[in-house]
Amino acid sequence: MTLLHVAILSPFIIAILVPFLHNYFQKIHTGWFILPLPILLFVYFLSLISSTMNGETIRNTASWIPSLGINFTAYIDGLGLLFALLITGIGALVILYSIYYLSKVKEQLNTFYVYLLLFMGAMLGVVLSDNLIVLYTFWELTSLSSFLLIGYWYEREKSRYGAQKSMMITIFGGLLMLGGFIMLYMMTNTFSIREIIEQVPTIAQHHLFIPALILILFGAFTKSAQFPFYIWLPDAMEAPTPVSAYLHSATMVKAGIYLVARFSPVFAGTPEWFWIVSAFGIFTMFWGSFNAIKQTDLKGILAFSTVSQLGMIMSMLGVGSAAIALDSIDDSYYTVAILAAMFHLMNHATFKGSLFMIVGIIDHETGTRDIRKLGGLMGLMPITFTISIIGAFSMAGLPPFNGFLSKEMFFSSMIRIVELNIFNLESLGLLFPIVAWVGSIFTFIYSMVLVFKTFTGKYQPEKLEKKPHEAPIGMLISPIILASLVIVFFFFPNLLAYTIIEPAMASIIPAVLGDGEHFHVHISPWHGFTLELYMTIGVVALGILGYFTLRKWSGIYRFIPERLTINKGYDAALYSLDKSSFHLTRFYMTGSIRNYLLYIFTFFIVILGTSLAVKGGFSFSLEGNASVGIYEVILAGVILIGTITSLFAKSRLTSIIALGSVGYTVSLFFVLFRAPDLALTQLSVETVSVALFLLCFYHLPEFKKPEKKLNFNWPNFIISLGVGTIVSLLALSANSQRVSETISTYFIENSYKLAGGKNMVNVILVDFRGFDTLFEITVLGIASLGIFGMIRLQVRKEEER
Amino acid sequence: MEVLMCIICGFLFSAATYLMLSKSILRIIIGTGLLSHGAHLLILTMGGLKNGAAPLLGEHAKWYVDPLPQALILTAIVISFGVTSFFLVLAYRSYQELGTDDMDQLRGNDYE
């Protein structure tokens, strides 16, 4: 255990203390006790920047299950540190915001902060683990804590629905990802990501390589809400707003991005990786922004916007992977995509975090998030309005905000992909910049909708539940910090470039770097009159046009029928899965024992018959058989007659007597086959059984009328014939192929010598194999006690009445 | 002889199965009785029916029949007797309480 391990686990430790703090200091908002932790962690991670800047990594191992190669290995490189700073930094701001957002009186703060800390620790564990199994463990913890946080207001049905949906989808992806991890382990025999990367050249041709790639991408796509798994994210907006800001914009949904970035050194360079990541990413980018416009809930817009932005980052990671397929760093302008991805990751966290907090403030101060009810808040909430302008313009990609820089770089990476002539890009590559451009226009439109529908237009106080006014200053601190970062990153982008982004790039695409080389990451707002600039101008022009004509063309959303959406598909799939498994179970679990017996017997016949036939097990020989005597034939005839009588007897008395006759014939068989003890026992047992039957005779049920006739049942007949045939065949085969000699010579020789008895059967029963007898006595004892119990129980019940 | 016994055992199994698939509890119990008879005879047959003296050392014979299957069957007889009698009382009690012996009506299924 090192300081780094303590840092990762500290949120879990503090989470244990939260309920005590909550109960003993009820006058103080619990959030104040939590706030120092992420700040401390943030400062600690800041102090590590100097080492990752020089290309150093920190790797500390604590043993967990060393025998299985599963160790808690904490690993810090540029990528991990970027995410750790994001998690702790935004975490601190969100906790500060939540202190003012959540009421001390109305809400259960202890559970909230326990879940939030659980999530923070899990997220730190995900980004700072080198071991795949540990990473998976923390990954599922993030799913779990997200589930708990979405369902925080568990008395609302929509919260429960959203929580369940996100759980189903992310756990589905998480399990597939685990499958991919195990495949990686099978190929490389190690769970350490570092060691896997070293082995990449040898495993690239392995037949599990591509399946592992696809399974791991399932994990990333479900978590990061890529098409078509994005559907859980809009429903997760039922969570409290600090949660939406933290989990569903800045951190958890970026776990998938992290996973893709982390595994880029392993899988990037293959066409599968390039195409899946960039095509799904770019389509998600378009689809999310297209759908965001039709939302009427502010958080709904932001949710689809998050989907869209995540798709954008994902597509840049995919496009950047092409850089690895090229050989040298001289083609460095392909690495601009990775640079843009990392830069936009941070930018998105800043402006999306602030926008969520703004929406939370609006909700808090007006009582609604519906843009149809809102309007004209500009004069009432000037600070909120300013922050939202900054956030939304940054999201739309306008200067002087950081979104402009990352959007420019996004365009340039998309344009340059056209020039590549690998992976079939010469024909399909042109689609990327076009889709990206169209998606950006929609992004511009919904960003404008978000701000101007809320803050300008007609003020409608009659539709609002509360009288709106500016938020308390405590609530505004966090969004103000984030919004100022939005501007700072624009004017001083190189503040981040060599400190944070360059080390992160080095860990995503290490292959293109030689020893001691560094990426050239100069980010500047002005490139001259390039194609990117004209594209942005086009986005703004068409975006403004689209915004003002929104009413005219928003009819296109009605062309997509509601029931064809993925949400309906998900609901229908869940419903039909439920229904069909119910029907399937009802179909075969009829409750009738007869049906179950039919299944069992059929299975018995099919399995034994097939294996007998397939393996050629049947054989028949008369060698060593005893000769057939006349007595045995007569007794066999008696058994046949007795059995048939008991089968078809019309009265139960005949049946019972026929059964008795079979029993007595069996004991006569025992006499013939020289088994005196058996004959004795069988005779007495049969007598007692028949006596028992007769004792119960008056109480026993009469055979039912329909069965009195020869009511012949063909299926039953065929099944029973099959069972008998199989038993006969097996017995004949076994009899014809005796493998080894009997061990009974030992009993014959030693019965007298060792045990001092001449009756071998009895000696075996009480001496050689006495334990059998002991428990057979126990069985009889239990049976008699059971019978006694059954009869006594009835008496007692009648007394009660 | 073994071949004949194998066929008889198969026949007993068939009859027992047919009875166990019927609707009346009493027939099912008779079926289990037949099934245990079949199983016991099968054990004896599989142990070999070679002629020899009964497994009593006092006989001073050169060949004895195999004593081990006989010991096994003896155990099995007692156990199946215990179980059969338990079943019988169970059937009697359930008929008394529930008033039916039709397996179609004795379903552990609430959906019907």
Side-chain angles (χ1 to χ4, degrees), chain A residues 741-751 760 764 768, chain B residues 47 55 57 64-70:
Chain A
E741 275 304 303
T742 168
I743 55 166
S744 293
T745 41
Y746 172 83
F747 297 121
I748 294 168
E749 280 166 14
N750 291 313
S751 274
M760 286 179 258
I764 291 175
F768 290 120
Chain B
L57 286 176
Y64 292 102
V65 293
D66 198 335
L68 192 57
Q70 295 195 9

Side-chain angles (χ1 to χ4, degrees), chain A residues 594 626 674 720 744 758 765 794, chain B residues 14 21 52 57 66 74 96:
Chain A
R594 209 177 127 241
R674 294 174 185 80
S720 36
S744 293
K758 291 187 177 174
L765 280 175
Q794 163 201 23
Chain B
S14 279
L21 290 174
L57 286 176
D66 198 335
L74 199 60
Q96 214 174 29

Side-chain angles (χ1 to χ4, degrees), chain A residues 614-632:
Chain A
V614 171
K615 295 283 175 189
F618 181 70
S619 69
F620 180 75
S621 85
L622 287 169
E623 191 194 336
N625 279 4
S627 56
V628 182
I630 180 74
Y631 299 118
E632 288 94 332

